[in-house]
Amino acid sequence: MLEPDRETRREWTDAVGAFVEDFVAGLAKAPASEPAPADLTEFLAEPPERPGTFDDLLATFGRAAGYAVETAGPGYLGYFPAGGLLSSVLAETLAQAVNRFTGVADTAPALVAMEHAVIRWFCRRFDLPDGAGGVITSGASLATLAALTTAREDRLGGPDPLGTIYVTEHTHYCVAKAARIAGFTSAQVRVVPVDDDLRMDLAAAEALIADDRDRGLRPFFLVGTAGSTSTGTVDPLDALGALAAREDLWFHVDGAYGGSFQLTDRGRAILHGVHRADSITLDPHKSLFLPYGTGLLLVRDEARLRAAHAADGHYLQDLDREHDLPDYGDLGPELTREYRGLRLWLPLHLHGVAAFRAELDEKLDLAALVHRELSAEGNLEVPLVPDLTVTVFRSPFGDATTERLLERINGTRRIFLSSTRLDGKHTLRLCVLSHRTHRAHVEEALDIVRRAARES
Ligand SMILES: *Cc1c(COP(=O)(O)O)cnc(C)c1O
């Protein structure tokens, strides 16, 4: 009953294919956001006893997906836009269709080899040494948890009420969350001041670490952010890496947003020193344009990641675990997981690496254009030069005007921006990152912002 016949299979896959094609083709004209109706009863229906109709259910899904911020479209400039590469969508469908078990290598070694090759390729991009490795996760949050757990085991030998972690107020909260899950209190997460450019202040970090040591604490984990969430700011990675080495701390680089820019020359220059990292998180579902659900953890020494996570059970005794391929179930919190490797493998092999580099370079150029144009607008305050592709700005007339500005901008439903707080002030951010956002979209966005600024 659950396995459709050949004809039905064709009908369903054709319907899904047509849906996807219509969706992608419609993105150019789709509104940047679509408010949901007050009454969501239709979407709260419980599963029936009797079978439904595929076309009707697909239509329900289509309507539900429509009531949303159009995160896949070219006008999405809020948070971190990714778009969602079609090649990766198809890769995911293929991976799910064959439904291979890749929690250990033995049950699908060639597929694991493909995933392994992708991870090794990323490690080389960051100049990590032989012995480096990693795991593809559902996102940077889970990758950060695995990194912090590994550092805790490696540097402290387990949970320790004296262990201390160093972040700034601009570090993503996933570090504090991971710390909580990994058994640390919020007092063990030390917030280092930032300089005027919002980068971790090196001297302040040094002083805080020394002070903590004097108090008998055990500093062990230093986080450098390669592209902060609010402003895309990159911490001084080289200096922080050197500090971590001097102090024997685990150096973690959060490159969830900015890490992928390592593929470009400008990115490599800005991320200088990232090779010193003991662990790096990346979010291909941000700056490699993949659909949501793909994060990446790279570690300098895969053996340490394994030491922190490996486990065994009698029910796995039939498997050969002695080989050169990683058993991904030993490298993170998950055992069973979807075969995530193909999501990266297919796009990278199909489009070629140069296509990704060109796309990221284009985003850097467009962000520079945004910064230039908005800085020239008298009705706006632009407090920072972007390191990567996030430009922040606000009204010089205070929070209320800035909030109204955002309403005006998003109210056009041509683009969608998000906001943050900076220097205690409500501040808007415009992030160019989707593979579907090009120069014409950015020029339209600039027109919209300028017009709104003059009216607010
Ligand atoms: C998005 C983000 C995260 C969290 O990643 P998820 O994939 O949402 O779990 C961590 N750090 C930075 C800098 C981010 O931008």
Side-chain angles (χ1 to χ4, degrees), residues 305-312 321 329-332:
L305 186 61
R306 182 174 298 106
H309 292 94
D312 212 347
R321 321 264 321 249
D330 285 347
L331 300 185

Side-chain angles (χ1 to χ4, degrees), residues 80 139-142 172 174 225 227-229 254 256-257 283 285-286:
F80 287 123
S141 295
L142 219 66
H172 193 279
C174 73
T225 299
S228 64
T229 310
D254 182 349
Y257 154 59
D283 257 341
H285 65 208
K286 288 174 181 158

Side-chain angles (χ1 to χ4, degrees), residues 205-268:
E206 249 172 331
L208 189 54
I209 291 165
D211 202 43
D212 283 349
R213 277 206 208 285
D214 286 347
R215 294 169 53 212
L217 299 172
R218 298 181 69 192
F220 79 101
F221 195 75
L222 175 67
V223 180
T225 299
S228 64
T229 310
S230 277
T231 61
T233 301
V234 179
D235 278 329
L237 301 180
D238 200 45
L240 291 177
L243 170 63
R246 279 199 304 282
E247 293 287 337
D248 195 28
L249 311 186
W250 183 282
F251 183 40
H252 175 72
V253 173
D254 182 349
Y257 154 59
S260 302
F261 286 92
Q262 180 77 358
L263 295 181
T264 69
D265 288 344
R266 278 176 284 179
R268 276 187 80 86

Side-chain angles (χ1 to χ4, degrees), residues 1-12:
M1 265 192 302
L2 292 179
E3 186 71 323
D5 60 23
R6 186 183 181 83
E7 192 184 336
T8 310
R9 290 199 297 269
R10 274 308 283 262
E11 269 172 35
W12 290 359

